[in-house]
Amino acid sequence: MDLFDIMAQDIKIKNAPLAERMKPETLEEFIGQSGIMGEGKLLPKLIKSDRLTSIILYGPPGSGKTSLAKVIAKRTEAMFVNINAVTAGIKDIREAVEHAKDHLAMYQKRTVLFIDEIHRFNKNQQDALLPFVEDGTFILIGATTENPYFEVNSALISRSSVFRLTKLAPDEIVTILKSALVDEKRGLGMYPIKIEDKHLEYIADMAAGDARRALNVLELTVISKADLSDQIEITLEDIEDCLQMKVMDYDKNGDNHYDIVSAFIKSMRGSDPDAALYYLGKMIVGGEDPRFIARRIVICASEDVGNADPMALVIANSAAQAVDFIGFPEGRIILAQAATYVATAPKSNAAYMGINEVIDDLNNIETGTIPYYLKDGTSLSLERKYTSNSQMKAYQYPHDFKDHYVKQQYLPDAIKEKRYYRPTDNGYEQTVQTFLKKTKYAPE
């Protein structure tokens, strides 16, 4: 690197956003992620001893994945190569491999290859990494916001340790913001800034666990007032003006999407209408497809409410059709009605469990044949050719009997005593129970 390269790099660093400048350079500066970076944890031990193996860092935006990579880059004696999967390709991988081989041959030193957004690499690009990870040409550090077990080749996963990062807590983000306010070299310490702790807490809360987002808001707020007076006093109105709206931690294609949908369904199943509305709101504000939400409500109405309240399925299905017809924003009202109805309805999974048991039996045991008198006319005429009149038993038409019911066998002989549907004591299924006790399960 010549003098002009050094000058260009210095200018680039000075002009970089605050979030980039404030990336930690040491383990001591790294904030949060105590689950993987706490005292006695494996990852800091590997970093401190410079004995890192290939790892995948997986977590939401702003949780510290690239910051952690930067700490490793400063700490390790190995050559550190950084590429981004958004702009890189096979050619860049080959160049990194050649540099790593040359560095190892000339200096007997390893190379750490950091690939940001590694899930953006396609299968062929990920396969190109595999032999060099396997033979130790370089140590791979991959960072991804997507679940690596779905987005990264299983062969790479098996040769790496996966470390999951979580959203930062509000108090951790406040600590990062305070560090930026006093740091004169990389932060905002050169400005005479006055800001109350409660306003920093507000920024942290609105950032929803994303430190990058919080630092960007703080920087924008300060810059917008930097030339107005000797004392920069940051108010709540200043922050709201720069923030515009709260960032939503909802990714329609990622883990967060599935987590919120799961919480939504479990809240309806658990009869908590408040939680159901909350997670419904998160999906709506996050831009989720209303038809996707409606389908989840319809499924829950049958799976978890079932015959305890048969109207739940009717309402859920009507809501799905109405939302498809009306769309948003009014569709939120219809979805809210259906979700709260399902959440507060009596619950039964008897039908759901029953059909699962039937399918399990069909796949695993011999269930026998349909009783001949239940077969259609063509099959029944064939039965008569091979069955004597004394053995033939006529089908009894229920409507010819009192209460439109007559006891007769409907299941095959092999499973005639099986009970697949076990109605609960909840809601309408109490009525179903009473009916079955008077009919099917009444003593002879």
Side-chain angles (χ1 to χ4, degrees), residues 16-233:
L18 177 64
E20 183 64 29
R21 302 197 308 269
M22 287 304 298
K23 276 185 167 51
E25 296 182 344
T26 65
L27 279 174
E28 291 70 31
E29 289 182 9
F30 190 85
I31 304 296
Q33 307 305 334
S34 59
I36 61 171
M37 294 296 292
E39 186 69 31
K41 297 294 183 180
L42 173 64
L43 188 53
K45 286 181 181 178
L46 293 174
I47 296 171
K48 287 176 182 177
S49 63
D50 197 15
R51 301 185 66 178
L52 200 67
T53 58
S54 291
I55 62 173
I56 303 291
L57 302 174
Y58 157 47
S63 56
K65 300 182 295 299
T66 53
S67 295
L68 193 50
K70 189 168 184 177
V71 168
I72 294 169
K74 292 282 185 181
R75 189 87 185 202
T76 183
E77 293 183 4
M79 181 175 74
F80 193 90
V81 178
N82 183 351
I83 64 177
N84 191 301
V86 175
T87 56
I90 294 287
K91 179 184 175 184
D92 301 278
I93 296 172
R94 288 174 180 158
E95 288 179 358
V97 168
E98 291 307 313
H99 285 313
K101 288 180 176 178
D102 292 344
H103 198 74
L104 185 63
M106 294 174 63
Y107 305 108
Q108 290 76 52
K109 293 207 173 191
R110 305 172 303 161
T111 294
V112 174
L113 176 62
F114 173 61
I115 303 178
D116 201 7
E117 306 283 349
I118 192 171
H119 63 276
R120 301 281 189 136
F121 272 165
N122 60 35
K123 185 178 185 301
N124 289 336
Q125 291 168 319
Q126 291 186 30
D127 284 342
L129 297 167
L130 186 59
F132 307 108
V133 172
E134 196 166 45
D135 67 12
T137 300
F138 51 68
I139 296 165
L140 173 68
I141 301 177
T144 175
T145 56
E146 305 295 328
N147 190 327
Y149 294 102
F150 295 117
E151 302 296 335
V152 178
N153 287 3
S154 57
L156 275 179
I157 290 288
S158 68
R159 290 161 178 80
S160 309
S161 298
V162 177
F163 292 94
R164 181 168 187 175
L165 288 76
T166 58
K167 292 192 302 180
L168 294 176
D171 62 317
E172 293 169 339
I173 293 182
V174 168
T175 300
I176 293 171
L177 294 175
K178 286 183 175 180
S179 296
L181 287 169
V182 299
D183 192 316
E184 295 185 5
K185 182 179 178 182
R186 294 182 293 153
L188 302 169
M190 73 289 294
Y191 295 106
I193 301 169
K194 181 180 179 182
I195 182 171
E196 296 182 37
D197 283 352
K198 66 180 181 180
H199 295 337
L200 292 176
E201 290 166 3
Y202 177 70
I203 295 174
D205 178 59
M206 297 300 280
D210 187 335
R212 186 186 298 110
R213 170 77 172 175
L215 287 166
N216 288 343
V217 170
L218 179 64
E219 182 180 32
L220 186 59
T221 307
V222 170
I223 289 174
S224 68
K225 302 190 73 172
D227 299 325
L228 298 180
S229 65
D230 294 335
Q231 179 75 46
I232 301 173
E233 184 170 354

Side-chain angles (χ1 to χ4, degrees), residues 408-424:
Q408 64 184 326
Q409 181 183 327
Y410 291 92
L411 283 170
D413 287 340
I415 55 170
K416 66 180 182 180
E417 301 301 329
K418 277 274 189 177
R419 287 187 63 174
Y420 292 113
Y421 179 49
R422 303 175 183 85
T424 67

Side-chain angles (χ1 to χ4, degrees), residues 326-379:
I326 293 172
F328 277 164
E330 291 84 355
R332 75 190 188 282
I333 306 166
I334 298 163
L335 290 174
Q337 178 188 352
T340 52
Y341 189 97
V342 170
T344 55
K347 302 297 189 293
S348 170
N349 67 348
Y352 168 60
M353 298 302 290
I355 192 61
N356 284 351
E357 192 174 339
V358 168
I359 291 170
D360 186 60
D361 280 355
L362 290 170
N363 286 328
N364 295 290
I365 67 172
E366 177 55 53
T367 57
T369 60
I370 301 170
Y372 67 86
Y373 52 85
L374 297 182
K375 295 180 180 179
D376 89 337
T378 304
S379 298

Side-chain angles (χ1 to χ4, degrees), residues 197 215 237 243 254 291 365 367 382 405:
D197 283 352
L215 287 166
E237 290 73 19
L243 191 62
R291 289 172 295 183
I365 67 172
T367 57
L382 292 173
Y405 176 80

